[in-house]
Amino acid sequence: MYKILFLFLTLFICQSYTGAQSPAATSGIYNVKIFGAKGNGTDMDTKSINKAIETAARAGGGTVYFPAGNY
């Protein structure tokens, strides 16, 4: 009885985590502006760019996209 309840709860938790994926997670394109980069030539975008690269790497690969701007 407890094994069935544990299995049900485990499946429910796993489904709730995988159901809420970002568009980048499903398309494989990681736009640096979504991660906070400004691209205005004034603000430091290093942390945002690194976050996009790390997220793509954790997902197993993808494209880190830089819209027009000065980074």
Side-chain angles (χ1 to χ4, degrees):
M1 174 73 178
Y2 289 109
K3 289 181 182 180
I4 294 172
L5 180 60
F6 177 75
L7 178 63
F8 177 77
L9 289 174
T10 304
L11 290 173
F12 177 77
I13 291 169
C14 290
Q15 184 179 18
S16 66
Y17 281 118
T18 58
Q21 293 182 342
S22 68
T26 57
S27 69
I29 299 173
Y30 301 87
N31 186 334
V32 295
K33 289 197 172 186
I34 291 174
F35 292 90
K38 303 288 184 208
N40 60 13
T42 307
D43 294 320
M44 292 296 293
D45 296 322
T46 307
K47 287 183 181 180
S48 301
I49 293 168
N50 285 339
K51 179 83 171 168
I53 293 169
E54 290 168 1
T55 303
R58 274 195 307 269
T63 301
V64 177
Y65 173 66
F66 291 82
N70 294 317
Y71 297 93

